[in-house]
Amino acid sequence: MRKRLIVSAAAGALALLLTVPASAAQIGPGAAGIGDPYYPNAGNGGYDVSHYDIRLKYQPATDELEGTATILATATQDLSRFNLDFVLGVKEVLVNGRTAKFASTGESELEITPARPLTKGSPVTVVVRYADKPGEVERGGYSAWLRTPDGGVAANEPEGSAWWFPSNDHPTDKATYDVSVLVPDGTQAISNGLLTGQSSRAGWTRYNWRQTKPQATYLATLAIGRFDIRTDTTPGGLPVVTAYSKDLGDNDGAARASVERTGELVDWLSGYFGEYPFGSIGGYVPNVPTGYALETQTQIFYSPAQFSRGSNTSVVVHELAHQWYGDSVSVQRWSDIWLNEGFARYSQWLWSEHENEGTAQELADYVYSSYPADNAFWSVKPGDPGADHQFASAVYDRGAVAIQALRNTVGDEKFFQILKGWPAERKYGNATIQQFQAYAERISGKPLADLFNTWLFTASKPALSSAGVPAAAPAGVAALAPGGKGAPQEPKSWKKIQETNSLHEHAH
Ligand code: ARG
Ligand code: ZN
């Protein structure tokens, strides 16, 4: 889904009027990647998806997944051929109702050659029929389909959808979703948005889920297993859907005591980020051995490990913050990841402040003082961390210090105006860090290039004298100069906050 679509379609129509129609031989294939330097094969060129209709049948006992994906798209160039990103075994492909040739190439490309070339601006309907055991399909030594004793889960960043549906797998191509899953009676299926229907027949139950707001592919999720599904509404009328594996064991109470706070916390965050952008909210805790959480749109994925040290409202705040910073406003390129993780981490600092467990300033001072200048922490540039360091702690913690530095530079009034204004300015879209900087400069009326360069784009520890230090005279920080005494105390919230991503390294 692209807002610019109408313009480009009109330009395309104009171009057709002015040029001699190209012969079929001149029509080329779409690119195998959308042009993201971190992940050259992610996404594809030549078309724009508006809707995914995904019909699945899954057998937990054997991991057999059968699917039919119907993809509605618009060609953005003339196409002799185009790609989808997919790793499962394909049985048949139709393009605009006609059988198409297809081949699985490279790591995760499904190359489709329609019977007739596609013309720029024209609507395209692609049907892909497939069947495979996703847990057994590995790329680079791993499968993104997390098998559980009672089923499986798809929730990964930046790439995971290729294990359950074919797509244009990049955050810049958002679409709406219908996900319909047939599972044996007694098993539940969970996806994004609202459960719009559920029906049983002959030993199988079908679950229909619907996401009506634009959603990036990596934010689509599927979970199959034995779940306790609960529905509620916030005082403001927003539907809340939560689900817990029936096998959480010792973590069950802490998981529920955290995730059942979702409605209250989304209301609290709305005070900072503005109106909640989607039609429902919730979260689920499947029986997976992973350690991370993921901001899957409106239906957040949590690992049970996240609650193995007791309840954790901080991780819920983090993933809820992503619904504004990451899901509604998404990265333009994966190098813009600070726009997601810096702000989600900063929201945890605001929550810490609210809970009297340490102010954002104290947390910033603590991060600054915790890592000496020669620590590798400072070698990661949060504004361009590289694909290998996309989820490095610097993106989160130094990234949040950068936001505190911004706050200190522009003052609270402008800062909170920016924090709330940005998600409205870019709702359902994509943005770069440079665009955020320009927005913050416009709202604050201050030049911010030095601040952004220092905190986001420099591979060394910023000096205290540089623009936008954590604070003008930070308590504790001044004493940190070599030979200084008395480092700031660890804020009470510190360990809980770190639990959100202390287990990231366990994920792929
Ligand atoms: N966006 C997630 C979070 O911080 C990070 C997920 C990293 N995990 C992974 N499997 N790559 O909440
Ligand atoms: Zn995050």
Side-chain angles (χ1 to χ4, degrees):
M1 221 182 247
R2 253 180 241 163
K3 294 218 178 84
R4 253 182 285 129
L5 201 65
I6 296 163
V7 177
S8 62
L14 191 64
L16 273 181
L17 290 174
L18 299 175
T19 56
V20 181
S23 73
Q26 287 172 303
I27 298 176
I34 212 164
D36 192 316
Y38 280 20
Y39 304 97
N41 292 320
N44 304 285
Y47 63 93
D48 186 56
V49 177
S50 60
H51 184 71
Y52 293 96
D53 181 284
I54 305 164
R55 278 179 83 84
L56 303 169
K57 181 179 184 183
Y58 185 74
Q59 180 55 263
T62 58
D63 195 32
E64 283 168 290
L65 179 73
E66 281 173 58
T68 301
T70 304
I71 301 169
L72 303 183
T74 303
T76 55
Q77 65 178 75
D78 292 341
L79 286 169
S80 60
R81 200 178 81 200
F82 63 93
N83 284 17
L84 288 166
D85 300 305
F86 199 42
V87 299
L88 303 184
V90 174
K91 298 197 294 189
E92 187 184 16
V93 178
L94 304 177
V95 177
N96 295 336
R98 292 182 178 82
T99 302
K101 287 192 196 126
F102 63 90
S104 294
T105 62
E107 279 268 287
S108 57
E109 299 294 320
L110 175 62
E111 215 176 82
I112 297 170
T113 308
R116 297 177 181 185
L118 307 173
T119 38
K120 181 173 175 169
S122 64
V124 188
T125 305
V126 186
V127 175
V128 180
R129 280 187 229 287
Y130 50 100
D132 216 326
K133 296 186 176 184
E136 293 176 11
V137 179
E138 297 196 344
R139 291 291 182 274
Y142 93 111
S143 166
W145 178 246
L146 305 166
R147 269 290 260 163
T148 59
D150 53 347
V153 176
N156 214 324
E157 184 183 10
E159 288 158 318
S161 33
W163 273 261
W164 67 285
F165 69 100
S167 76
N168 191 23
D169 198 4
H170 192 271
T172 46
D173 194 356
K174 300 189 186 190
T176 53
Y177 288 71
D178 275 305
V179 177
S180 173
V181 193
L182 194 61
V183 288
D185 286 349
T187 294
Q188 283 74 35
I190 294 165
S191 191
N192 311 79
L194 285 173
L195 180 60
T196 56
Q198 182 184 331
S199 57
S200 287
R201 204 171 69 88
W204 291 79
T205 306
R206 179 172 289 286
Y207 291 83
N208 295 322
W209 291 85
R210 167 162 271 205
Q211 173 61 270
T212 59
K213 300 288 188 240
Q215 174 174 288
T217 47
Y218 84 98
L219 298 170
T221 190
L222 172 68
I224 292 160
R226 289 166 10 89
F227 285 97
D228 171 21
I229 301 178
R230 310 181 54 155
T231 56
D232 202 351
T233 48
T234 63
L238 182 70
V240 182
V241 185
T242 54
Y244 305 89
S245 163
K246 288 176 178 165
D247 305 305
L248 291 181
D250 289 349
N251 297 326
D252 189 84
R256 288 172 192 260
S258 313
V259 179
E260 288 304 310
R261 302 278 299 272
T262 294
E264 168 205 342
L265 295 173
V266 85
D267 280 352
W268 179 77
L269 278 171
S270 301
Y272 287 105
F273 298 151
E275 197 192 359
Y276 177 71
F278 304 122
S280 67
I281 188 56
Y284 70 96
V285 191
N287 188 17
V288 286
T290 48
Y292 60 96
L294 186 64
E295 61 270 25
T296 40
Q297 192 161 309
T298 73
Q299 190 57 271
I300 293 161
F301 163 82
Y302 298 97
S303 295
Q306 218 95 51
F307 309 109
S308 61
R309 283 161 261 183
S311 66
N312 190 340
T313 46
S314 188
V315 68
V316 177
V317 166
H318 179 109
E319 305 308 334
L320 288 174
H322 276 310
Q323 303 304 310
W324 286 264
Y325 282 88
D327 295 11
S328 173
V329 185
S330 304
V331 293
Q332 176 68 29
R333 292 291 175 260
W334 281 110
S335 55
D336 295 309
I337 191 69
W338 169 76
L339 287 175
N340 294 8
E341 302 305 345
F343 288 85
R345 173 52 45 89
Y346 196 79
S347 73
Q348 295 178 278
W349 291 9
L350 293 172
W351 180 239
S352 167
E353 207 163 302
H354 174 267
E355 295 285 276
N356 284 316
E357 294 189 336
T359 64
Q361 184 61 56
E362 284 163 354
L363 283 151
D365 291 343
Y366 189 69
V367 170
Y368 187 85
S369 69
S370 293
Y371 302 98
D374 60 357
N375 193 291
F377 176 85
W378 299 108
S379 67
V380 174
K381 295 180 276 184
D384 188 10
D388 290 346
H389 298 286
Q390 211 185 320
F391 301 104
S393 59
V395 175
Y396 293 72
D397 290 330
R398 180 177 172 178
V401 177
I403 294 167
Q404 181 65 17
L406 173 67
R407 180 174 171 180
N408 291 334
T409 302
V410 303
D412 274 11
E413 197 192 324
K414 296 293 184 192
F415 174 73
F416 288 113
Q417 204 181 321
I418 292 164
L419 210 56
K420 192 178 277 188
W422 176 250
E425 178 94 357
R426 293 280 169 170
K427 193 174 179 182
Y428 304 146
N430 297 82
T432 63
I433 294 175
Q434 288 68 28
Q435 288 167 334
F436 177 81
Q437 183 190 316
Y439 177 78
E441 286 175 335
R442 174 150 66 82
I443 300 302
S444 69
K446 292 201 168 159
L448 298 170
D450 284 353
L451 179 100
F452 276 73
N453 285 334
T454 300
W455 289 101
L456 297 181
F457 294 99
T458 305
S460 59
K461 185 170 183 172
L464 282 176
S465 57
S466 58
V469 293
V477 169
L480 293 170
K485 46 192 175 313
Q489 276 203 343
E490 181 182 297
K492 260 194 200 164
S493 58
W494 178 256
K495 287 206 171 64
K496 273 294 170 211
I497 291 172
Q498 294 305 304
E499 281 176 24
T500 299
N501 60 334
S502 62
L503 297 156
H504 275 166
E505 308 0 290
H506 296 224
H508 192 273

